[in-house]
Amino acid sequence: NGPVTIGGVAFDDFELGIVAHSDGDVVYHSVVDAIFGALTLPDIGQFFPDTDPRWKGAPSGVFMAEAWRQMDARGYRIGNIDVTLIAQA
């Protein structure tokens, strides 16, 4: 149990939690992976392995900032992002 973070928004009053090494924000993680993929970089798990204690409970904004840095360093910009979230409690 604990807060559930979706798209950078934390929901504290949630009976169930997400099993994850970081905060488990599925929206941020999918966008970060999409950016890394578009740049032909390794996936989020290689940049931020769950075997590294530095990322235990880390906010996904840290991962998004790194994806943005990688993109910016190569002169790329996001044109559009489309995320569909289907969830069931």
Side-chain angles (χ1 to χ4, degrees), residues 3-47:
V4 172
T5 305
I6 301 173
V9 178
F11 298 91
D12 294 323
D13 296 331
F14 201 78
E15 192 174 302
L16 303 173
I18 293 178
V19 177
H21 187 70
S22 66
D23 68 3
D25 186 328
V26 295
V27 172
Y28 273 29
H29 285 218
S30 65
V31 171
V32 168
D33 253 342
I35 292 169
F36 285 166
L39 298 172
T40 65
L41 294 172
D43 70 15
I44 192 171
Q46 291 183 328
F47 269 87

